Amino acid sequence: MMEELVNANEWRYDRSTDEEMIVEFTGQWCEYRMFFVWQEDLGALYFSCLFDTKITAGKRAAVAELLSYINERLWLGHFDLCSEELAPMFRHTILLRGTAGVSAEQLEDLMEAAINECERFYPAFQFLLWGGKKPQEAVEAALLDTVGTA
């Protein structure tokens, strides 16, 4: 089902195992990499969407503060900093134990929510990293900047 959704969007993907899929696509602001991992023993689908943006060591504390301001505004999932890639990412896990499995609608909603939130808050990272704004200012500027595009 996941491959059908990815193919319908004409996104690039790779499967390292039957339980894992990596999807790459170009958004409005940057390249994104989505990871889907099925964890059988938990009955859970783990999902993350990684930005193609690197965070320098000197900006990690400011990015951590920025993440807290962003996460306060989310209903679903959260943003985190990938420690391996030093890149921001959106994460969410769907628990499916005792169900017939994930539906196409749930997958579509998950991907749509992640892409919308990544696109909405990408400018905040740029305002912080390159625009010299403080974390709260960066979020406010991003929200103002994306009001017309959301």
Side-chain angles (χ1 to χ4, degrees):
M1 182 179 353
M2 179 61 70
E3 286 182 11
E4 290 174 17
L5 289 171
V6 169
N7 285 328
N9 286 295
E10 298 181 358
W11 292 334
R12 299 175 306 277
Y13 73 93
D14 186 31
R15 295 193 72 132
S16 54
T17 69
D18 286 343
E19 291 80 26
E20 296 180 15
M21 179 183 265
I22 300 170
V23 178
E24 296 179 342
F25 70 98
T26 303
Q28 176 183 354
W29 304 108
C30 69
E31 293 285 322
Y32 295 105
R33 193 170 353 145
M34 292 188 283
F35 296 95
F36 297 88
V37 180
W38 172 250
Q39 189 71 32
E40 182 69 37
D41 60 332
L42 295 175
L45 178 66
Y46 168 82
F47 168 79
S48 66
C49 185
L50 190 75
F51 289 32
D52 184 21
T53 299
K54 299 292 181 202
I55 306 300
T56 61
K59 294 284 188 174
R60 284 186 81 163
V63 167
E65 186 177 344
L66 175 67
L67 291 171
S68 70
Y69 286 118
I70 290 172
N71 286 333
E72 289 175 353
R73 290 165 171 79
L74 300 179
W75 279 72
L76 177 72
H78 68 278
F79 280 93
D80 207 347
L81 185 61
C82 178
S83 60
E84 290 178 16
E85 310 239 0
L86 291 179
M89 67 177 167
F90 177 89
R91 294 175 35 166
H92 186 65
T93 300
I94 300 174
L95 296 173
L96 298 163
R97 189 171 66 106
T99 68
V102 67
S103 70
E105 291 82 7
Q106 286 174 306
L107 289 174
E108 289 172 352
D109 289 347
L110 176 62
M111 289 190 296
E112 183 178 333
I115 292 166
N116 287 342
E117 298 298 8
C118 288
E119 294 285 291
R120 180 166 75 136
F121 288 109
Y122 179 87
F125 291 95
Q126 296 305 303
F127 288 138
L128 177 86
L129 297 171
W130 308 111
K133 293 195 180 293
K134 294 184 185 320
Q136 187 169 0
E137 295 170 333
V139 170
E140 291 167 1
L143 292 174
L144 287 174
D145 191 51
T146 58
V147 167
T149 61

